[in-house]
Amino acid sequence: MALLEVKNLKKVYSTRFSNQQVQALSNVSFTVEEGEYVAIMGESGSGKTTLLNILASLDKTTSGQVLLNGRDITGIKEKEIAEFRRKNLGFVFQDFNLLDTFSIKDNIFLPLVLSKEVYPIMNQKLKVLAPKLGIEDLLEKYPYEISGGQKQRVAVARALITHPQVVLADEPTGALDSKSTDQLLEVFDKINDEGQTILMVTHSTKAASYAKRVLFIRDGEVFHQIYKGNQTNQQMYQSISETLTLLAAGGK
Amino acid sequence: MKLFFYPRLALRNIRKNAKIYIPYLLTSTFTVAMFYIIHSLSINGAYDDMTVGARTLPIIMELGTYVVIIFAIIFLFYINSFIIKRRKKEVALYNILGMEKKHIMYMMFYETLITSMFSLIVGILFGVVFSKLLFLILIHMAHISTPFDFVIPMESIIRTFLLFIAIYFISYLFNVLQIQLANPIELLRSSQSGEKEPRTKWVMTLLGLVTLGGGYYIAQTIEKPVEAMLLFFVAVVLVIIGTYCLFTAGSITLLKILKRNKRFYYKTRHFTSVSQMIYRMKQNAVGLASICILCTCILVMLSSTVSLYITVQDSTNMIVNEQLRITLMSSEGKNITEEVNQIYNKSLKQFEMNDIQIKTIVKKECYFASGSYFEKNFTIGGYNDDKYTGITAMSLDEFNQAFHQKQELKDDEILIACNFENIKDHLTINGKTFKVKSVVDEPYFLTQKYSNIEKDMTVVFSSDKTLNKSLFNEEYSAPTMSHSISIDFEDIEDSEKALEIVRSHIPSNMSMYNQSQFEMQNEYFEVFGSLFFLGIFLGIVFLMAAILIMYYKQLSEGYEDQKRYEIMQNVGMSQKEVKQSIRSQVLIFFFLPLIVAAIHMAFAFKMIVKMFSFLVLSDISLFVWCTIISIAILAIIYSIVYSLTAKVYYKIVKVE
């Protein structure tokens, strides 16, 4: 059984003051196996952010199902959503979303504290995780004292510390310089090698070229997908570029 | 169309920013109305008709006017600066979209014009309507009977206009300056760059603890009322310093200690609250401390004026036991017993003719002197210390006659009454020891029966000769005999008439001194009644200020926390947890000043009682109740505003 199964997902927005309806997702279906590293690409307005929000249970579907380990997450009650999200999903955002009132350490602890974990265990988890992400020296600092790349690695640590089933990343390299981007993508590679399932929405061909599989979305549908297989990052980059060109040209 | 462009734009801006403008308009209107009312009360022509003595009321109202002026200036400027801070971004947008600063100034001018005209006109209208009502309440509270003559004083309207137009204009200039100085990019960029976590300030925390402790200690240990008047200010200043230090440094120190306690800090309920409170305290401590002081002022003012007012009657009883006491003395040092008897008899007849019903009347001849008393030892002379005691002395004959008794005394025996100690067995007067035959408990025997400030005793000697020999000697000037007539009426209002009758019989070689409870009560009612009125009036004004500052603070906090709560919800904080976190923070924020104010009040209690015992406050348990009720009322109003504010705050930070 696949870890994540998306079936016939449809999302229609209706604006508040008119009857005009906007179809963000028309019919999206795909599956993600455990341990996969999937990138979702598409132009602005293609519906990829809507898709991620639905996967993150931040948004409701109009119709269709999203199964995580066989459980339909679209049917989870409002009350349980926060807990579900905390236990099963890890998030990495474009603009880091670190809280400036917390130290780095406390930012990483936040989801654990919300899950009522005791301090010694939290600390234990952090001790294992921090060296992998190269943030051991930052723990006592505050977000305003560290660079963007460091912030994003901290955000990754926060996403990973709950051992989520899936890490959802929304344009994780969007606010980073090229060097930080490389570092972050290597971190993603490494954690994926250790078995972490990652689902990433991105504009960046380079970021996508690190993924094992790339889904292309256009006009609210999965338009195409390519597997990395044995290709190097360079070759993968090439294939993605070609597909994007094709997509832009409007071919089928 | 161009003609109305800016006014229309201004009106739209105000409507769009209703969340901050509605409370502003309300407050500003309210402040205008309050100023108009207090000013019109202070200059009302109706007072001119009042009796000569009744001039304290306008003076007290005038005092209130000054307080309201100072308050209005500070308060309206504060809110204005808050509003302009919130609107900077919007103004910058206009600037970038092509409006010149000149145009923005026009726009803001019309905004100011609209809001200030609204506040002034509506405020004065409300003021006119309610000043009549409040005038009646004030007159009633001060027990003033005056031919009703209520006018709308033009002077008050003009003053109100001038004062508030000046305030609005200066705030407008301030806003223009702010806009002129800033460049649009700066204005647009919100100050989201992270702030440094505040440091623990041990020195200030310790200073706060020491000053607050010192203030409390002084308040607890003050014994003498006169001393209290002086030390009172020392204690107040210490407590104010302590409050500011503890709110600014102490709160952060405490939160940091909590944070260091890992088992406490890493709990879902404490985690976000503690870390956010550290930052909030850094920004708002001064405001909270000010509100705390303001609340304390309200409490002190309300509870003391209310209880002073309620106890006016007891207080006057404390000063004079009888409704009317007339003391007569010869201004030439002659014996005037005969004349006094004549006056007494004539007056009695006239009382009957004028239908003045008398409950009790006592006429007595006695000597007044003062000296020092210490451990059953009285020595005449010697003043200026806590042993100071007044003494009234009379002969047995006079006593028996005045009080219709048939007592007998040996030369070394006395009858006595004393208001500060129960002297039962013996008393030494100027070195000679007398045996106390009995303690007298007749009405008006003691001059100051209930006073807890002045020590007083009355002694009856076996004869005039013993009296003079024992009490007075050549070293002191010859004793003057005085005659006093104490009267209680069936109807206290007769005392004025009775006094007039007695006065008409007094010849020029006699001096008369009178104490009338009725007159005193009128005076006290006027003073305490108008103080009470002012206490409530200013209490309402201060309360409104405190609440509004809270509201605006929460609002600005809400905008700042919006992003934070969004992140937390993304990371997996539930709506319920968000609500809880908000509730606990807003709760602490709101009620911390009130709780601290209540603690201040508790410590100040003893001192205030002592201080007012000087101004005659007789019933302490009443004062306790007044205080408790004041706190309760404050807490109720606070709670209502708290729940409203928490709702607005939650709406701001809620993630759709």
Side-chain angles (χ1 to χ4, degrees), chain B residues 147-192:
Chain B
F148 185 67
D149 172 28
F150 179 78
V151 284
I152 297 167
M154 214 41 215
E155 193 194 332
S156 296
I157 294 182
I158 293 167
R159 281 282 176 85
T160 312
F161 257 93
L162 289 179
L163 173 71
F164 284 91
I165 282 179
I167 295 178
Y168 294 135
F169 186 68
I170 294 170
S171 9
Y172 171 66
L173 287 185
F174 171 79
N175 294 349
V176 167
L177 200 72
Q178 290 267 305
I179 300 299
Q180 289 288 357
L181 287 178
N183 79 50
I185 301 300
E186 260 169 44
L187 289 179
L188 259 187
R189 196 180 299 140
S190 46
S191 53
Q192 281 293 344

Side-chain angles (χ1 to χ4, degrees), chain B residues 25-281:
Chain B
L25 281 175
L26 280 177
T27 330
S28 156
T29 309
F30 184 76
T31 317
V32 169
M34 287 315 235
F35 177 77
Y36 170 82
I37 290 170
I38 193 89
H39 189 264
S40 70
L41 289 181
S42 76
I43 61 161
N44 197 302
Y47 308 131
D48 298 341
D49 303 333
M50 291 187 318
T51 47
V52 190
R55 295 307 304 176
T56 36
L57 188 143
I59 293 171
I60 290 171
M61 291 301 123
E62 206 184 325
L63 200 80
T65 311
Y66 294 127
V67 177
V68 175
I69 290 178
I70 294 170
F71 169 82
I73 292 173
I74 297 175
F75 189 51
L76 290 179
F77 278 148
Y78 174 81
I79 297 183
N80 176 65
S81 74
F82 171 86
I83 290 178
I84 193 70
K85 221 187 271 169
R86 279 240 60 79
R87 292 197 52 206
K88 265 185 186 171
K89 209 169 167 178
E90 182 191 332
V91 169
L93 202 62
Y94 281 120
N95 200 187
I96 285 170
L97 291 177
M99 256 176 147
E100 282 171 39
K101 284 190 173 162
K102 192 174 72 187
H103 300 133
I104 292 174
M105 274 165 64
Y106 287 150
M107 183 184 84
M108 282 170 56
F109 174 76
Y110 281 109
E111 283 168 14
T112 312
L113 193 72
I114 292 169
T115 51
S116 50
M117 281 305 125
F118 177 88
S119 321
L120 269 172
I121 292 167
V122 178
I124 289 179
L125 276 178
F126 268 97
V128 168
V129 173
F130 283 102
S131 63
K132 188 168 171 179
L133 178 71
L134 288 177
F135 178 72
L136 289 175
I137 293 175
L138 173 62
I139 293 291
H140 181 77
M141 277 167 72
H143 288 232
I144 293 172
S145 48
T146 169
F148 185 67
D149 172 28
F150 179 78
V151 284
I152 297 167
M154 214 41 215
E155 193 194 332
S156 296
I157 294 182
I158 293 167
R159 281 282 176 85
T160 312
F161 257 93
L162 289 179
L163 173 71
F164 284 91
I165 282 179
I167 295 178
Y168 294 135
F169 186 68
I170 294 170
S171 9
Y172 171 66
L173 287 185
F174 171 79
N175 294 349
V176 167
L177 200 72
Q178 290 267 305
I179 300 299
Q180 289 288 357
L181 287 178
N183 79 50
I185 301 300
E186 260 169 44
L187 289 179
L188 259 187
R189 196 180 299 140
S190 46
S191 53
Q192 281 293 344
S193 56
E195 261 184 280
K196 254 202 170 125
E197 192 186 36
R199 295 246 204 115
T200 316
K201 290 177 196 140
W202 282 107
V203 179
M204 240 176 119
T205 309
L206 281 178
L207 182 74
L209 285 174
V210 169
T211 47
L212 192 68
Y216 282 174
Y217 179 77
I218 292 175
Q220 287 311 292
T221 50
I222 278 180
E223 285 304 332
K224 303 279 161 44
V226 185
E227 226 175 279
M229 281 295 204
L230 290 168
L231 273 180
F232 176 76
F233 290 101
V234 179
V236 168
V237 170
L238 282 179
V239 169
I240 289 177
I241 294 174
T243 307
Y244 276 98
C245 286
L246 285 183
F247 268 90
T248 48
S251 62
I252 287 170
T253 310
L254 177 71
L255 286 166
K256 287 251 181 164
I257 291 170
L258 289 179
K259 197 173 166 180
R260 226 168 283 148
N261 180 349
K262 300 221 154 40
R263 289 178 69 184
F264 176 87
Y265 178 53
Y266 290 107
K267 285 264 156 54
T268 318
R269 284 177 63 190
H270 307 143
F271 192 55
T272 47
S273 308
V274 170
S275 62
Q276 286 193 19
M277 281 307 279
I278 291 180
Y279 287 86
R280 291 186 147 212
M281 272 311 188

Side-chain angles (χ1 to χ4, degrees), chain B residues 298-394:
Chain B
I298 297 173
L299 286 179
V300 171
M301 223 155 49
L302 275 184
S303 50
S304 51
T305 50
V306 170
S307 31
L308 280 173
Y309 180 72
I310 295 178
T311 54
V312 162
Q313 263 169 12
D314 299 341
S315 304
T316 47
N317 285 342
M318 215 166 87
I319 295 173
V320 214
N321 314 331
E322 51 272 51
Q323 287 177 358
L324 179 64
R325 181 197 294 159
I326 298 168
T327 311
L328 298 169
M329 265 181 280
S330 163
S331 37
E332 293 153 359
K334 286 182 189 155
N335 189 326
I336 52 168
T337 314
E338 262 321 297
E339 283 128 299
V340 172
N341 279 338
Q342 276 173 25
I343 294 169
Y344 177 69
N345 291 329
K346 275 191 227 160
S347 301
L348 274 185
K349 257 182 219 149
Q350 254 181 299
F351 286 170
E352 242 170 84
M353 268 155 49
N354 283 294
D355 201 27
I356 296 173
Q357 309 271 329
I358 285 173
K359 218 193 269 171
T360 334
I361 184 160
V362 171
K363 180 182 83 67
K364 60 181 194 274
E365 269 179 33
C366 45
Y367 297 93
F368 293 116
S370 57
S372 59
Y373 173 86
F374 184 66
E375 285 181 356
K376 316 225 154 146
N377 213 323
F378 179 85
T379 319
I380 200 150
Y383 306 90
N384 296 334
D385 54 15
D386 53 356
K387 293 173 197 156
Y388 178 83
T389 308
I391 188 165
T392 309
M394 62 174 85

